[in-house]
Each structure stands twice: as C-alpha cells, then as structure tokens.
C-alpha cells in the first residue's frame, strides 16, 4: 500500500490558498456592507434615487435603472444600457447602498465616455468564457492521447484567458469606484462624513476582484506545474 504522503498532490495547496483568499475577501465585503448598511444617509436618498441623480448629473440619458432580485447582485449592462440594482440597494437609504449604486453608475459613466478598459473587458468576455469552459477538457484529451503536450499547452493557454479577463477587470472596477466617490463628494447625496464610509464599502468590494484574480492565477500556476513543460507521466 502506498503511504498517504505519496498520494497527496502538493499542488492542492494552491487550490486551498485560492479558496481561502476568495472566502476571506467575500467575508470582508459582506461584513463591511452590513456594517454601513445600518447607517442611514442624512439626505435620506435611496439607491435608486442616487443612481438617477448621478446619471442625470453626468448627462447620461440613455441608461435605464431597474430593481432586480437578490442581494448584492447589482450590475451595469453596457449592451442594453440597463443599470440593475438589487433589492438590498434599490430601496435602501443606507450609506452602503448608495455607495454600491454610485459604483454601478461609475460603469455607466465609463461606457458613456468610451473608457477603453471597459471596452476591452466586454470584448474579452466571450473568449474568456469559451476558454475557461474548454480548457480542462482539452487538457484531459491531451493527457489521454499519450500526453500530447501540444493539446495540453492549448488547454493551459485557454485557461489563461480567464486570468486575462480578471486582470482587465481590476482597473475597470477601481476606476468605477473612483468616479463614484468623486461624484458623491459633491455633498448632494452623501455628506462629507459619509463619503469615507462609502469608500470603505467600495474598497472592500474591490478586494473581491483582487482575490478572484489571485485565485485564478494560483489555478493557472497549478496547471502549469502539473501539465506544463516536460512533465510527462510515464
């Protein structure tokens, strides 16, 4: 019988590390949102009203605002020009909800001004999704075909598109938050004391994207260690 340590794949440490990073980031954003979701804005503005105000101020007239189901499912779709706010954001007057709504408006402003990284991310999405879906089957086929390194490398390259998407996403998200905080600083939605609170919420949310990029990188690194180069298993 083989000893346990001989059966253990040490590269699983990379998977576990990525999982722990993602879990920590998710827990942090949830706790931060809950903390500032309890603080009601002095101007008593809902997330929906805040979004409508920001879009009007930025002279964006072709974007609609709608409420959708879920918790923190807020998003902006540049394809149909719809800004969707979750139930926890749309009708809430909390500092956290307004910060999230403003962040999504930041994406609408990016789209309106032709922000290049947003365009690049939109173009990468279908390619990244396709690559992620096919990467493991391609690698598996390569292994089954007498460790065909060409197919394996194609599979690894396909998975790397997911990391490329994550990396392009980072500047898009951070820039949207900066735009949101700049708009909120005018005092018509949040007070001077409330803006730093919204900044903490958006910073916590941004960390989830950093965590996702790190987790994807660790997965890619594991694939390279296991299947890249001359790691042929006889």
């Amino acid at each position: 019988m083989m000893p346990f340590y001989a059966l253990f794949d040490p590269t699983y440490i990379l998977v576990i590390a990525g999982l722990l990073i993602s879990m920590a980031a998710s827990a942090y954003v949830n706790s931060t949102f809950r903390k500032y979701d309890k603080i009601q804005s002095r101007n008593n503005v809902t997330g929906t009203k805040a979004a409508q105000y920001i879009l009007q101020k930025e002279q964006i007239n072709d974007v609609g605002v709608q409420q959708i189901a879920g918790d923190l499912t807020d998003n902006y779709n540049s394809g149909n020009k719809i800004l969707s706010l979750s139930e926890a954001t749309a009708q809430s007057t909390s500092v956290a909800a307004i910060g999230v709504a403003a962040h999504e408006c930041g994406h609408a402003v990016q789209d309106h001004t032709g922000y290049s990284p947003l365009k690049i991310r939109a173009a990468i999405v279908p390619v990244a999704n396709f690559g992620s879906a096919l990467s493991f089957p391609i690698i598996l086929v390569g292994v089954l075909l007498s460790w065909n390194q060409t197919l394996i490398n194609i599979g690894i390259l396909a998975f790397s598109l997911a990391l490329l998407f994550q990396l392009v996403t980072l500047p898009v998200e951070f820039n949207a938050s900066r735009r949101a905080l700049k708009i909120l600083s005018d005092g018509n939605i949040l007070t001077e004391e409330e803006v730093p609170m919204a900044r903490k919420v958006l910073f916590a949310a941004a960390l989830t994207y950093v965590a996702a990029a790190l987790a994807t990188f660790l997965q890619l690194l594991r694939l390279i260690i296991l299947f890249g180069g001359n790691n042929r298993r006889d």
Side-chain angles (χ1 to χ4, degrees):
M1 178 180 293
M2 296 180 65
F4 174 76
Y5 64 82
L7 298 175
F8 177 73
D9 181 356
T11 63
Y12 275 124
I13 295 175
L14 298 176
V15 177
I16 295 172
L19 180 62
L20 291 176
I21 290 172
S22 298
M23 290 174 61
S26 179
Y28 181 62
V29 70
N30 285 327
S31 63
T32 303
F33 183 86
R34 285 196 301 270
K35 177 180 179 180
Y36 293 105
D37 194 41
K38 297 177 182 178
I39 301 177
Q40 302 304 304
S41 61
R42 293 183 183 178
N43 292 330
N44 199 37
V45 178
T46 66
T48 297
K49 292 295 184 183
Q52 292 171 340
Y53 167 81
I54 293 172
L55 293 175
Q56 182 179 16
K57 181 181 179 182
E58 296 297 315
Q59 299 182 347
I60 301 176
N61 303 314
D62 58 346
V63 172
V65 180
Q66 68 175 9
Q67 179 177 321
I68 58 174
D71 185 23
L72 294 180
T73 51
D74 313 86
N75 66 88
Y76 170 69
N77 189 323
S78 59
N80 58 14
K81 305 289 185 181
I82 294 294
L83 193 155
S84 301
L85 300 178
S86 64
E87 296 172 350
T89 301
Q91 301 305 320
S92 174
T93 60
S94 72
V95 172
I98 292 173
V100 171
H103 172 84
E104 298 307 328
C105 286
H107 288 308
V109 175
Q110 290 174 336
D111 187 26
H112 183 69
T113 58
Y115 183 60
S116 296
L118 182 67
K119 293 181 178 180
I120 294 173
R121 185 177 72 167
I124 291 176
V125 168
V127 179
N129 289 339
F130 184 75
S132 297
L134 291 182
S135 58
F136 289 102
I138 292 174
I139 291 174
L140 179 59
V141 171
V143 172
L144 294 176
L145 294 178
S146 303
W147 210 267
N148 186 305
Q149 196 62 52
T150 299
L151 276 178
I152 291 173
N153 289 342
I154 291 174
I156 294 175
L157 180 62
F159 185 81
S160 69
L161 294 174
L163 178 59
L164 176 61
F165 172 77
Q166 297 287 356
L167 294 176
V168 173
T169 293
L170 292 179
V172 173
E173 296 300 329
F174 278 102
N175 179 267
S177 290
R178 283 196 296 270
R179 291 173 187 265
L181 291 169
K182 182 178 180 181
I183 295 170
L184 292 176
S185 297
D186 68 6
N188 290 322
I189 302 177
L190 294 180
T191 65
E192 184 178 349
E193 294 78 17
E194 293 168 339
V195 171
M197 301 178 193
R199 179 179 289 109
K200 291 179 180 179
V201 173
L202 296 184
F203 176 74
L207 287 182
T208 62
Y209 294 98
V210 176
L214 285 174
T216 303
F217 169 74
L218 292 174
Q219 285 182 292
L220 177 61
L221 180 60
R222 180 172 184 261
L223 291 178
I224 293 173
I225 293 173
L226 289 176
F227 304 109
N230 298 314
N231 293 332
R232 177 167 180 160
R233 308 292 172 85
D234 295 321

